[in-house]
Amino acid sequence: LSASPRWMACTAAAVLAAFAPPGGTSQAALDGTFQHLLAAQYAEGHATREEVLAASEERLGKDGWKLLEFALDATDSLNWVNPDVEMRVDLFEIDPELYGSLDMGWVTILDGLIEVHILDWKFGHNEVPITTPQLMLYLLAYLKKVEALELENYHWARLFVHIVQPRVSHDPISREVTHDELMEFRLELIRIVKKVRSGDVSYAPGACCTFCPARVGCEGLRHAAGDVAQFQLLQGKAGTETIGPEELSTNLDLIPALDAWIKAQEKAAMTYLGAVGKLEGYKLVDKRATRKWISEGDAILFIQQSGLKPYNEVLKSPAAIEKELPPERRAVLPSYVKSVSSGHTIASASDK
């Protein structure tokens, strides 16, 4: 279920991923998994807040401790009760491959009113929209638990999805989902699954390509890269023509996909050259060398004997100071700080 944003947007990914070689795991992903585990232990009641924060700081330092603290604060603000944590859920009635692990879900009943909540922790750097199909899939699967409870009129329950991503927001990001919206999504899901199972798939290069395991040999990405390159070549030959707003917007939409494809090619080439030693037209070379002291102790002595100071005294940044401040002093920090933009960057119009 976690890969649904990719294969629901690009049905070819569902087929190609099955034949893709296993990818490596980054340190950032391992750190995120560790934070995820700590949050789950806290929610299940297996460890106290202080214990999981201490474990996070021990392994990941002040940055990890602060990130987990934000996540726990956001989670607790939702007033959850008796949660199901790391619960295996499935939609086997639609397809045997639709299963996954729900981070957190709970049901509240107050004065005859039923609310169903699901929550997903995201500790990565990339912002995940609250509209991601992954949450809808988890909600569909979790509703089977509510049905199993045989609660009267559970179909009239209010449905809520939440994302806690502390690198993006210190508050939970939430929205209510209507039953009609969920049923429409279910029908669309069935339609997509039938297309994939029948082999009627199509490529849709875009942001979903960034972590796709099949991006190295993806025909859709290769064609997209060729189309953009050919377009730029024709524009260059024309000389007087400029890229129109529609073409420019389309090209910008392709940047995440093409960037992922380029990085995947480079990684594959590095792996091949490291193993085989040669690749037609290419070779491994050392990166630009930078000078470093052989011995810092000897260097300091040499610098001092030369009448120079070996260290620069630089004022610590607000972010560095915030990590070291005791909690009761952090509220005062904003009165000493201002936010200064370093310039402009391009973002999607849908970004907040």
Side-chain angles (χ1 to χ4, degrees):
L1 299 184
S2 61
S4 58
R6 182 166 58 243
W7 57 259
M8 289 193 72
C10 177
T11 50
V15 178
L16 295 176
F19 301 97
T25 301
S26 67
Q27 186 59 49
L30 293 174
D31 292 344
T33 300
F34 180 67
Q35 295 279 58
H36 192 286
L37 175 63
L38 293 177
Q41 288 182 334
Y42 168 73
E44 288 181 294
H46 295 330
T48 66
R49 180 187 182 92
E50 291 72 22
E51 288 172 338
V52 296
L53 287 174
S56 180
E57 182 176 9
E58 180 180 359
R59 174 166 167 173
L60 304 175
K62 285 288 185 182
D63 286 345
W65 172 83
K66 192 68 177 177
L67 200 65
L68 183 59
E69 183 182 49
F70 287 147
L72 297 185
D73 287 345
T75 303
D76 285 344
S77 72
L78 295 170
N79 299 318
W80 47 271
V81 291
N82 301 320
D84 296 297
V85 182
E86 294 299 318
M87 180 184 186
R88 295 292 292 178
V89 293
D90 66 75
L91 292 170
F92 288 157
E93 69 276 15
I94 297 177
D95 190 88
E97 294 296 324
L98 292 178
Y99 60 89
S101 179
L102 172 65
D103 289 354
M104 193 169 170
W106 66 94
V107 179
T108 63
I109 306 174
L110 182 63
D111 297 330
L113 298 177
I114 304 172
E115 291 185 358
V116 180
H117 298 257
I118 65 156
L119 178 147
D120 199 34
W121 289 302
K122 300 290 187 185
F123 287 96
H125 290 272
N126 297 320
E127 181 175 0
V128 178
I130 190 65
T131 54
T132 174
Q134 180 185 3
L135 292 182
M136 298 290 277
L137 285 165
Y138 282 136
L139 182 58
L140 272 174
Y142 190 61
L143 277 176
K144 292 165 62 176
K145 168 190 166 59
V146 181
E147 184 177 6
L149 293 176
E150 297 182 355
L151 297 172
E152 185 178 1
N153 295 327
Y154 83 91
H155 289 291
W156 299 105
R158 297 180 67 186
L159 312 175
F160 297 89
V161 295
H162 313 277
I163 294 182
V164 169
Q165 39 188 344
R167 294 186 189 275
V168 176
S169 172
H170 295 171
D171 299 314
I173 303 169
S174 308
R175 82 178 184 101
E176 185 172 0
V177 178
T178 68
H179 281 272
D180 287 345
E181 181 184 1
L182 191 61
M183 291 305 102
E184 287 178 8
F185 174 84
R186 188 177 188 276
L187 291 175
E188 177 65 7
L189 172 65
I190 293 173
R191 185 189 69 82
I192 292 175
V193 169
K194 285 182 176 179
K195 286 190 66 174
V196 171
R197 290 303 181 191
S198 67
D200 180 18
V201 298
S202 58
Y203 296 94
C208 60
C209 303
T210 303
F211 299 106
C212 180
R215 62 188 181 276
V216 175
C218 178
E219 181 181 351
L221 271 177
R222 181 166 56 82
H223 286 169
D227 290 344
V228 171
Q230 182 68 17
F231 179 78
Q232 297 292 352
L233 180 63
L234 292 174
Q235 292 283 17
K237 286 183 176 179
T240 57
E241 292 189 24
T242 58
I243 300 177
E246 291 184 3
E247 293 87 352
L248 185 57
S249 179
T250 299
N251 286 350
L252 288 175
D253 289 340
L254 285 172
I255 285 177
L258 296 180
D259 185 54
W261 181 76
I262 291 169
K263 289 179 178 177
Q265 303 306 313
E266 291 174 340
K267 183 178 180 180
M270 287 285 289
T271 302
Y272 185 85
L273 282 167
V276 179
K278 60 181 180 179
L279 180 64
E280 183 66 28
Y282 294 90
K283 63 181 179 179
L284 285 179
V285 296
D286 291 331
K287 293 182 178 180
R288 184 178 66 87
T290 57
R291 296 184 297 173
K292 294 184 178 181
W293 297 113
I294 298 173
S295 167
E296 289 191 2
D298 291 343
I300 292 171
L301 182 61
F302 164 73
I303 295 169
Q304 290 174 337
Q305 289 175 343
S306 302
L308 301 174
K309 294 181 179 181
Y311 297 105
N312 291 319
E313 294 183 5
V314 180
L315 181 65
K316 292 182 179 180
S317 69
I321 291 297
E322 183 180 33
K323 296 173 188 175
E324 300 177 13
L325 280 175
E328 64 273 11
R329 295 286 293 168
R330 289 179 194 143
V332 185
L333 183 63
S335 61
Y336 295 91
V337 174
K338 64 178 180 179
S339 296
V340 181
S341 175
S342 58
H344 296 90
T345 187
I346 298 174
S348 170
S350 62
D351 287 359
K352 295 181 179 180

